[in-house]
Amino acid sequence: MKIYAERSPRIARQVGGDLLFAGWSVGWILLGLRLHDELDRLSRPARRVGEASTGLANALTGASEQVRSLQLVGDVLASPFDAIIAGARELATASANGQESIMRLADLAVPLTAAFPILFALTVWLALRGRWIRRASAVARLRDEGGSHGLLAAQALT
């Protein structure tokens, strides 16, 4: 089976096509990695909001416990703190869920960004190279058989 031609102009075109395909694939993979990095950068504010919300909830929990220890009015004064604490914890949970969703999308960015263009280019490359390999291998078999020089000449004329 012949993979590359015997003449240098054709070899140069084939190697150039192979390098073009490799460059195309690397370019799309790098673009997917860049998209992953940008999505990771977008998740940082959600992470900060979650950390701030958790810190606020923890700080207010201590204040709520101190207010609750007051006699007679402690439970009444602590209820607004409890509501704020619950809201801060919900905000932290929502932030964590948003961050997780962004990171899942970031993890899919590379394969989804690169897969379709690379598969398209691979299909075209395989179709062209496969056709050439099939024809070149058939001609090489005819040439190696010996008595088929007339057939090769007729094929070259057509």
Side-chain angles (χ1 to χ4, degrees), residues 6-89:
E6 295 172 359
R7 296 184 183 190
S8 59
R10 174 67 109 172
I11 291 175
R13 285 195 306 270
Q14 288 175 335
V15 169
D18 293 349
L19 292 175
L20 182 66
F21 172 69
W24 173 269
S25 300
V26 168
W28 280 103
I29 290 170
L30 290 175
L31 182 67
L33 290 172
R34 170 77 181 195
L35 181 59
H36 179 276
D37 292 343
E38 290 297 317
L39 287 170
D40 183 47
R41 190 175 61 82
L42 285 175
S43 74
R44 289 181 192 147
R47 188 175 313 134
R48 280 189 241 130
V49 167
E51 290 168 359
S53 299
T54 302
L56 177 64
N58 292 339
L60 288 177
T61 300
S64 173
E65 289 171 5
Q66 287 178 353
V67 169
R68 196 176 307 281
S69 67
L70 295 174
Q71 293 181 1
L72 297 174
V73 292
D75 289 337
V76 173
L77 291 176
S79 65
F81 286 102
D82 294 339
I84 294 171
I85 292 168
R89 294 206 190 282

Coordinates of all heavy atoms in Angstrom, one line a residue, residues 6-89:
E6 N 5.7 9.0 -5.3 CA 7.1 8.9 -5.6 C 7.7 10.1 -6.1 O 8.9 10.3 -6.0 CB 7.3 7.7 -6.6 CG 6.9 6.4 -6.1 CD 6.9 5.3 -7.1 OE1 7.2 5.5 -8.3 OE2 6.5 4.1 -6.7
R7 N 7.0 11.0 -6.7 CA 7.5 12.3 -7.3 C 7.4 13.4 -6.3 O 6.4 13.5 -5.6 CB 6.8 12.6 -8.6 CG 7.0 11.6 -9.6 CD 6.4 12.0 -10.9 NE 6.6 10.9 -11.9 CZ 6.3 11.0 -13.1 NH1 5.8 12.1 -13.6 NH2 6.5 10.0 -13.9
S8 N 8.4 14.2 -6.3 CA 8.5 15.3 -5.2 C 7.4 16.3 -5.3 O 6.9 16.8 -4.2 CB 9.9 15.9 -5.2 OG 10.1 16.5 -6.5
P9 N 6.9 16.8 -6.4 CA 5.8 17.8 -6.3 C 4.5 17.2 -5.7 O 3.9 17.9 -4.9 CB 5.5 18.1 -7.8 CG 6.7 17.7 -8.6 CD 7.3 16.6 -7.8
R10 N 4.2 16.0 -6.0 CA 3.0 15.3 -5.4 C 3.3 15.1 -3.9 O 2.4 15.3 -3.1 CB 2.7 14.0 -6.1 CG 1.6 13.2 -5.5 CD 0.3 13.9 -5.6 NE -0.5 13.2 -6.6 CZ -1.8 13.4 -6.8 NH1 -2.4 14.4 -6.1 NH2 -2.4 12.8 -7.6
I11 N 4.5 14.6 -3.5 CA 4.8 14.4 -2.1 C 4.7 15.7 -1.3 O 4.1 15.7 -0.2 CB 6.3 13.8 -1.9 CG1 6.3 12.4 -2.5 CG2 6.7 13.8 -0.5 CD1 7.7 11.8 -2.5
A12 N 5.2 16.8 -1.9 CA 5.1 18.1 -1.3 C 3.6 18.5 -1.0 O 3.3 19.0 0.1 CB 5.8 19.2 -2.1
R13 N 2.8 18.3 -2.0 CA 1.4 18.6 -1.8 C 0.7 17.7 -0.7 O -0.1 18.1 0.1 CB 0.6 18.4 -3.1 CG 0.9 19.6 -4.1 CD -0.2 19.6 -5.2 NE -0.3 18.4 -5.9 CZ 0.4 18.1 -7.0 NH1 1.3 18.9 -7.5 NH2 0.2 17.0 -7.6
Q14 N 1.1 16.4 -0.7 CA 0.5 15.5 0.2 C 1.0 15.8 1.7 O 0.2 15.8 2.6 CB 0.9 14.0 -0.1 CG 0.2 13.5 -1.3 CD 0.6 12.1 -1.7 OE1 1.8 11.7 -1.5 NE2 -0.3 11.4 -2.4
V15 N 2.3 16.1 1.8 CA 2.8 16.4 3.1 C 2.2 17.8 3.6 O 1.9 18.0 4.7 CB 4.4 16.5 3.1 CG1 4.9 17.1 4.4 CG2 4.9 15.1 3.0
G16 N 2.1 18.7 2.6 CA 1.5 20.0 2.9 C 0.0 19.8 3.4 O -0.4 20.5 4.3
G17 N -0.7 18.9 2.7 CA -2.1 18.6 3.2 C -2.1 18.0 4.5 O -3.0 18.4 5.4
D18 N -1.2 17.1 4.8 CA -1.1 16.5 6.1 C -0.8 17.5 7.2 O -1.4 17.5 8.3 CB -0.1 15.4 6.2 CG -0.4 14.2 5.3 OD1 -1.6 14.1 4.8 OD2 0.5 13.3 5.1
L19 N 0.1 18.4 6.9 CA 0.5 19.5 7.9 C -0.7 20.5 8.0 O -0.9 20.9 9.2 CB 1.7 20.2 7.4 CG 3.0 19.4 7.5 CD1 4.2 20.2 6.9 CD2 3.3 18.9 8.9
L20 N -1.4 20.7 7.0 CA -2.5 21.6 7.1 C -3.6 21.0 7.9 O -4.2 21.7 8.8 CB -3.1 21.9 5.7 CG -4.3 22.9 5.6 CD1 -3.9 24.3 6.0 CD2 -4.8 22.9 4.2
F21 N -3.9 19.7 7.8 CA -4.8 19.0 8.6 C -4.4 19.0 10.1 O -5.2 19.3 11.0 CB -5.0 17.6 8.1 CG -5.9 16.8 9.1 CD1 -7.2 17.0 9.2 CD2 -5.3 15.8 9.8 CE1 -8.0 16.3 10.1 CE2 -6.1 15.0 10.7 CZ -7.4 15.3 10.9
A22 N -3.1 18.8 10.3 CA -2.6 18.8 11.7 C -2.7 20.2 12.3 O -3.1 20.3 13.5 CB -1.1 18.3 11.7
G23 N -2.4 21.2 11.5 CA -2.5 22.6 12.0 C -4.0 22.9 12.3 O -4.3 23.6 13.3
W24 N -4.8 22.5 11.4 CA -6.3 22.8 11.6 C -6.8 22.1 12.9 O -7.5 22.8 13.7 CB -7.0 22.2 10.4 CG -8.5 22.2 10.5 CD1 -9.3 21.2 10.9 CD2 -9.4 23.2 10.0 NE1 -10.6 21.5 10.8 CE2 -10.7 22.8 10.2 CE3 -9.2 24.4 9.4 CZ2 -11.8 23.5 9.9 CZ3 -10.3 25.2 9.1 CH2 -11.6 24.7 9.3
S25 N -6.4 20.9 13.1 CA -6.8 20.2 14.4 C -6.2 20.9 15.6 O -6.9 21.1 16.6 CB -6.3 18.7 14.3 OG -6.8 18.1 13.2
V26 N -4.9 21.2 15.6 CA -4.3 21.9 16.7 C -5.0 23.2 17.0 O -5.2 23.6 18.1 CB -2.8 22.0 16.5 CG1 -2.2 23.0 17.5 CG2 -2.1 20.7 16.6
G27 N -5.3 24.0 15.9 CA -5.9 25.3 16.1 C -7.3 25.1 16.7 O -7.6 25.9 17.6
W28 N -8.1 24.2 16.3 CA -9.4 24.0 17.0 C -9.3 23.5 18.4 O -10.1 23.9 19.3 CB -10.3 23.1 16.1 CG -10.9 23.8 15.0 CD1 -10.5 23.7 13.7 CD2 -12.0 24.7 15.0 NE1 -11.2 24.5 12.9 CE2 -12.2 25.1 13.7 CE3 -12.8 25.2 16.0 CZ2 -13.2 26.0 13.3 CZ3 -13.8 26.1 15.7 CH2 -14.0 26.5 14.4
I29 N -8.3 22.7 18.7 CA -8.1 22.2 20.1 C -7.7 23.4 20.9 O -8.2 23.6 22.1 CB -7.1 21.1 20.1 CG1 -7.7 19.8 19.5 CG2 -6.6 20.8 21.6 CD1 -6.7 18.7 19.3
L30 N -6.8 24.3 20.4 CA -6.4 25.4 21.2 C -7.5 26.4 21.4 O -7.6 27.0 22.5 CB -5.2 26.1 20.5 CG -3.9 25.4 20.5 CD1 -2.8 26.1 19.6 CD2 -3.4 25.2 21.9
L31 N -8.4 26.5 20.4 CA -9.6 27.4 20.6 C -10.5 26.8 21.6 O -11.0 27.6 22.5 CB -10.3 27.5 19.2 CG -11.6 28.4 19.3 CD1 -11.1 29.8 19.5 CD2 -12.3 28.2 18.0
G32 N -10.7 25.5 21.7 CA -11.4 24.9 22.7 C -10.8 25.1 24.1 O -11.6 25.4 25.1
L33 N -9.5 25.0 24.2 CA -8.8 25.3 25.5 C -9.0 26.7 25.9 O -9.2 27.0 27.1 CB -7.4 24.9 25.4 CG -7.1 23.4 25.3 CD1 -5.6 23.1 25.0 CD2 -7.5 22.7 26.5
R34 N -8.9 27.6 25.0 CA -9.1 29.0 25.3 C -10.6 29.3 25.8 O -10.8 30.0 26.8 CB -8.9 29.9 24.0 CG -9.2 31.3 24.0 CD -8.2 32.1 24.8 NE -8.7 33.5 24.8 CZ -8.0 34.5 25.1 NH1 -6.8 34.3 25.5 NH2 -8.5 35.7 25.1
L35 N -11.5 28.6 25.1 CA -12.9 28.8 25.6 C -13.1 28.2 27.0 O -13.8 28.8 27.9 CB -13.8 28.0 24.6 CG -15.3 28.1 24.9 CD1 -15.8 29.5 25.0 CD2 -16.1 27.3 23.9
H36 N -12.4 27.1 27.3 CA -12.4 26.5 28.6 C -11.9 27.5 29.6 O -12.4 27.7 30.7 CB -11.6 25.2 28.6 CG -11.5 24.6 30.0 ND1 -10.6 24.9 30.9 CD2 -12.3 23.6 30.5 CE1 -10.8 24.2 32.0 NE2 -11.8 23.3 31.8
D37 N -10.7 28.1 29.3 CA -10.2 29.1 30.2 C -11.1 30.3 30.5 O -11.2 30.8 31.6 CB -8.8 29.6 29.7 CG -7.8 28.5 29.7 OD1 -8.0 27.5 30.4 OD2 -6.7 28.6 29.0
E38 N -11.7 30.8 29.4 CA -12.7 31.9 29.6 C -13.9 31.5 30.4 O -14.3 32.3 31.2 CB -13.1 32.4 28.2 CG -12.0 33.1 27.4 CD -11.5 34.3 28.1 OE1 -12.4 35.1 28.6 OE2 -10.3 34.5 28.1
L39 N -14.4 30.3 30.2 CA -15.5 29.9 31.1 C -15.1 29.7 32.5 O -15.8 30.0 33.5 CB -16.1 28.6 30.5 CG -16.9 28.7 29.3 CD1 -17.2 27.4 28.7 CD2 -18.2 29.5 29.5
D40 N -13.8 29.2 32.7 CA -13.3 29.1 34.1 C -13.2 30.5 34.7 O -13.5 30.7 35.9 CB -11.9 28.4 34.1 CG -11.4 28.2 35.5 OD1 -12.2 27.8 36.3 OD2 -10.2 28.5 35.7
R41 N -12.8 31.5 33.9 CA -12.7 32.9 34.4 C -14.0 33.4 34.8 O -14.2 34.1 35.7 CB -12.0 33.7 33.3 CG -11.6 35.1 33.8 CD -10.9 35.9 32.8 NE -11.6 36.1 31.5 CZ -12.5 37.0 31.4 NH1 -12.8 37.9 32.3 NH2 -13.1 37.1 30.2
L42 N -15.1 33.0 34.0 CA -16.4 33.5 34.3 C -17.0 32.8 35.6 O -17.9 33.4 36.2 CB -17.3 33.1 33.1 CG -17.2 34.0 31.9 CD1 -18.1 33.5 30.8 CD2 -17.6 35.4 32.2
S43 N -16.4 31.7 36.0 CA -17.0 31.1 37.2 C -16.4 31.7 38.5 O -16.9 31.5 39.6 CB -16.7 29.6 37.2 OG -15.3 29.3 37.4
R44 N -15.3 32.5 38.3 CA -14.7 33.1 39.5 C -15.6 34.0 40.3 O -15.6 33.9 41.5 CB -13.4 33.8 39.1 CG -12.3 32.8 38.7 CD -11.0 33.5 38.4 NE -10.2 32.5 37.7 CZ -9.3 32.8 36.8 NH1 -9.2 34.0 36.4 NH2 -8.5 31.9 36.3
P45 N -16.4 34.9 39.6 CA -17.3 35.7 40.4 C -18.3 34.9 41.2 O -18.7 35.2 42.3 CB -18.0 36.6 39.4 CG -17.0 36.7 38.2 CD -16.4 35.3 38.2
A46 N -18.8 33.8 40.6 CA -19.8 33.0 41.3 C -19.1 32.4 42.6 O -19.7 32.2 43.6 CB -20.3 31.9 40.4
R47 N -17.8 32.0 42.4 CA -17.1 31.4 43.5 C -17.0 32.5 44.7 O -17.2 32.2 45.8 CB -15.7 31.0 43.1 CG -14.9 30.2 44.1 CD -13.6 29.7 43.5 NE -13.8 29.1 42.2 CZ -13.0 29.3 41.2 NH1 -12.0 30.1 41.2 NH2 -13.2 28.7 40.0
R48 N -16.6 33.7 44.3 CA -16.5 34.8 45.3 C -17.8 35.1 46.0 O -17.8 35.3 47.2 CB -15.9 36.0 44.6 CG -14.4 35.9 44.5 CD -13.8 37.2 44.0 NE -13.2 37.0 42.7 CZ -13.4 37.7 41.6 NH1 -14.2 38.8 41.7 NH2 -12.8 37.4 40.5
V49 N -18.9 35.1 45.2 CA -20.2 35.3 45.8 C -20.5 34.2 46.8 O -21.0 34.4 47.9 CB -21.3 35.4 44.7 CG1 -22.7 35.3 45.4 CG2 -21.2 36.7 44.0
G50 N -20.2 33.0 46.5 CA -20.5 31.8 47.4 C -19.7 31.9 48.6 O -20.1 31.7 49.8
E51 N -18.4 32.3 48.5 CA -17.5 32.5 49.7 C -18.0 33.6 50.6 O -18.0 33.5 51.8 CB -16.1 32.7 49.2 CG -15.4 31.5 48.6 CD -14.1 31.8 47.9 OE1 -13.7 33.0 47.9 OE2 -13.5 30.9 47.4
A52 N -18.4 34.7 49.9 CA -18.9 35.9 50.7 C -20.2 35.5 51.4 O -20.4 35.9 52.6 CB -19.1 37.1 49.8
S53 N -21.1 34.8 50.7 CA -22.3 34.4 51.3 C -22.1 33.5 52.5 O -22.8 33.6 53.6 CB -23.2 33.7 50.3 OG -23.5 34.6 49.3
T54 N -21.2 32.5 52.4 CA -20.9 31.6 53.5 C -20.3 32.4 54.6 O -20.7 32.1 55.8 CB -20.0 30.5 53.0 OG1 -20.6 29.8 51.9 CG2 -19.7 29.5 54.1
G55 N -19.4 33.3 54.4 CA -18.8 34.1 55.4 C -19.9 34.9 56.2 O -19.9 35.0 57.4
L56 N -20.8 35.5 55.4 CA -21.9 36.3 56.0 C -22.8 35.5 56.9 O -23.1 35.8 58.0 CB -22.7 37.0 54.9 CG -23.9 37.8 55.3 CD1 -23.4 39.0 56.2 CD2 -24.7 38.3 54.1
A57 N -23.1 34.3 56.4 CA -24.0 33.4 57.1 C -23.3 33.0 58.4 O -23.9 32.9 59.5 CB -24.4 32.2 56.3
N58 N -22.0 32.6 58.4 CA -21.3 32.2 59.6 C -21.2 33.4 60.6 O -21.4 33.2 61.8 CB -19.9 31.7 59.2 CG -19.9 30.4 58.4 OD1 -20.9 29.7 58.5 ND2 -18.9 30.1 57.7
A59 N -20.9 34.6 60.1 CA -20.8 35.7 61.0 C -22.1 36.0 61.7 O -22.2 36.3 62.9 CB -20.3 36.9 60.2
L60 N -23.2 36.0 60.9 CA -24.5 36.3 61.4 C -25.0 35.2 62.3 O -25.9 35.5 63.2 CB -25.5 36.6 60.3 CG -25.3 37.9 59.5 CD1 -26.3 38.0 58.4 CD2 -25.4 39.1 60.5
T61 N -24.5 34.0 62.1 CA -24.9 32.9 63.0 C -24.4 33.2 64.4 O -25.2 33.0 65.4 CB -24.4 31.5 62.5 OG1 -24.9 31.3 61.2 CG2 -24.8 30.4 63.5
G62 N -23.2 33.7 64.5 CA -22.7 34.0 65.9 C -23.5 35.2 66.5 O -23.8 35.2 67.7
A63 N -23.8 36.2 65.7 CA -24.6 37.3 66.2 C -26.0 36.9 66.6 O -26.5 37.3 67.6 CB -24.6 38.4 65.1
S64 N -26.6 36.0 65.8 CA -27.9 35.5 66.2 C -27.9 34.8 67.5 O -28.8 34.9 68.3 CB -28.4 34.6 65.0 OG -29.6 34.0 65.4
E65 N -26.9 34.0 67.7 CA -26.8 33.2 69.0 C -26.6 34.1 70.2 O -27.2 33.9 71.2 CB -25.6 32.2 68.9 CG -25.9 31.0 68.0 CD -24.7 30.2 67.7 OE1 -23.6 30.4 68.4 OE2 -24.8 29.3 66.9
Q66 N -25.8 35.2 69.9 CA -25.7 36.2 71.0 C -27.0 36.9 71.4 O -27.3 37.1 72.5 CB -24.6 37.2 70.7 CG -23.2 36.6 70.8 CD -22.1 37.6 70.4 OE1 -22.4 38.7 70.0 NE2 -20.8 37.1 70.6
V67 N -27.7 37.3 70.3 CA -28.9 38.0 70.5 C -30.0 37.1 71.1 O -30.8 37.5 72.0 CB -29.5 38.6 69.2 CG1 -30.9 39.1 69.3 CG2 -28.5 39.7 68.7
R68 N -30.0 35.8 70.7 CA -30.9 34.9 71.2 C -30.7 34.6 72.7 O -31.7 34.3 73.5 CB -30.8 33.6 70.5 CG -32.0 32.6 70.7 CD -31.9 31.4 69.8 NE -31.6 31.6 68.4 CZ -32.6 31.9 67.5 NH1 -33.8 32.1 67.9 NH2 -32.3 32.1 66.2
S69 N -29.5 34.8 73.2 CA -29.3 34.6 74.6 C -29.9 35.7 75.5 O -29.9 35.6 76.7 CB -27.8 34.5 74.9 OG -27.2 35.8 74.6
L70 N -30.4 36.8 74.9 CA -31.0 37.9 75.7 C -32.4 37.3 76.2 O -33.1 36.7 75.5 CB -31.2 39.1 74.9 CG -30.0 39.9 74.4 CD1 -30.4 41.0 73.4 CD2 -29.2 40.4 75.5
Q71 N -32.6 37.7 77.5 CA -33.9 37.2 78.1 C -35.1 38.0 77.5 O -35.0 39.2 77.2 CB -33.9 37.3 79.6 CG -32.9 36.4 80.2 CD -32.8 36.5 81.7 OE1 -33.5 37.2 82.3 NE2 -32.0 35.6 82.3
L72 N -36.2 37.4 77.4 CA -37.5 37.9 76.9 C -37.5 38.3 75.4 O -38.4 37.9 74.8 CB -37.9 39.2 77.8 CG -38.1 38.9 79.3 CD1 -38.4 40.2 80.0 CD2 -39.3 37.9 79.5
V73 N -36.6 39.1 74.9 CA -36.7 39.6 73.6 C -35.7 38.9 72.6 O -35.6 39.2 71.4 CB -36.4 41.1 73.5 CG1 -37.6 41.9 74.2 CG2 -35.1 41.5 74.1
G74 N -34.9 38.0 73.1 CA -33.9 37.3 72.3 C -34.4 36.6 71.1 O -33.9 36.8 70.0
D75 N -35.5 35.8 71.2 CA -36.0 35.1 70.1 C -36.6 36.1 69.0 O -36.5 35.8 67.8 CB -37.1 34.1 70.5 CG -36.4 32.9 71.3 OD1 -35.2 32.7 71.0 OD2 -37.1 32.3 72.0
V76 N -37.2 37.1 69.5 CA -37.9 38.1 68.6 C -36.8 38.8 67.8 O -36.9 39.0 66.6 CB -38.7 39.1 69.4 CG1 -39.3 40.2 68.5 CG2 -39.9 38.4 70.1
L77 N -35.7 39.2 68.5 CA -34.6 40.0 67.8 C -33.8 39.0 66.9 O -33.2 39.5 66.0 CB -33.7 40.6 68.9 CG -34.4 41.8 69.6 CD1 -33.4 42.3 70.7 CD2 -34.8 42.9 68.7
A78 N -33.7 37.8 67.2 CA -32.9 36.8 66.4 C -33.6 36.4 65.2 O -32.9 36.0 64.2 CB -32.6 35.6 67.3
S79 N -34.9 36.5 65.1 CA -35.6 36.0 63.9 C -35.2 36.7 62.6 O -35.0 36.1 61.5 CB -37.1 36.1 64.1 OG -37.6 37.4 64.2
P80 N -34.9 38.1 62.6 CA -34.4 38.7 61.3 C -33.1 38.1 60.9 O -32.8 37.9 59.7 CB -34.4 40.1 61.6 CG -35.3 40.4 62.8 CD -35.3 39.1 63.5
F81 N -32.2 37.9 62.0 CA -30.9 37.3 61.7 C -31.0 35.9 61.0 O -30.3 35.6 60.1 CB -30.1 37.2 63.0 CG -29.5 38.5 63.5 CD1 -30.1 39.2 64.5 CD2 -28.4 39.1 62.9 CE1 -29.6 40.4 65.0 CE2 -27.9 40.3 63.3 CZ -28.5 40.9 64.4
D82 N -32.0 35.1 61.6 CA -32.2 33.8 61.0 C -32.6 33.8 59.6 O -32.2 33.0 58.7 CB -33.2 33.0 61.9 CG -32.7 32.7 63.3 OD1 -31.4 32.8 63.5 OD2 -33.5 32.5 64.2
A83 N -33.5 34.8 59.2 CA -33.9 35.0 57.9 C -32.8 35.4 56.9 O -32.6 34.8 55.8 CB -35.1 36.0 57.8
I84 N -31.9 36.3 57.4 CA -30.8 36.7 56.6 C -29.8 35.5 56.4 O -29.3 35.3 55.4 CB -30.1 37.9 57.3 CG1 -31.0 39.1 57.2 CG2 -28.8 38.2 56.5 CD1 -30.5 40.3 58.0
I85 N -29.6 34.8 57.5 CA -28.7 33.6 57.4 C -29.2 32.6 56.4 O -28.5 32.0 55.6 CB -28.6 32.9 58.8 CG1 -27.8 33.9 59.8 CG2 -27.9 31.6 58.7 CD1 -27.8 33.5 61.2
A86 N -30.5 32.3 56.4 CA -31.1 31.4 55.5 C -30.9 31.9 54.1 O -30.6 31.1 53.1 CB -32.6 31.2 55.8
G87 N -31.1 33.2 53.8 CA -31.0 33.8 52.5 C -29.5 33.7 52.1 O -29.2 33.4 50.9
A88 N -28.6 33.9 53.0 CA -27.1 33.8 52.6 C -26.8 32.4 52.3 O -26.0 32.2 51.3 CB -26.3 34.4 53.8
R89 N -27.3 31.4 53.0 CA -27.0 30.0 52.7 C -27.6 29.6 51.3 O -27.0 28.9 50.6 CB -27.5 29.1 53.8 CG -26.7 29.4 55.1 CD -26.7 28.2 56.0 NE -26.2 28.5 57.3 CZ -24.9 28.6 57.7 NH1 -24.0 28.5 56.7 NH2 -24.5 28.9 58.9

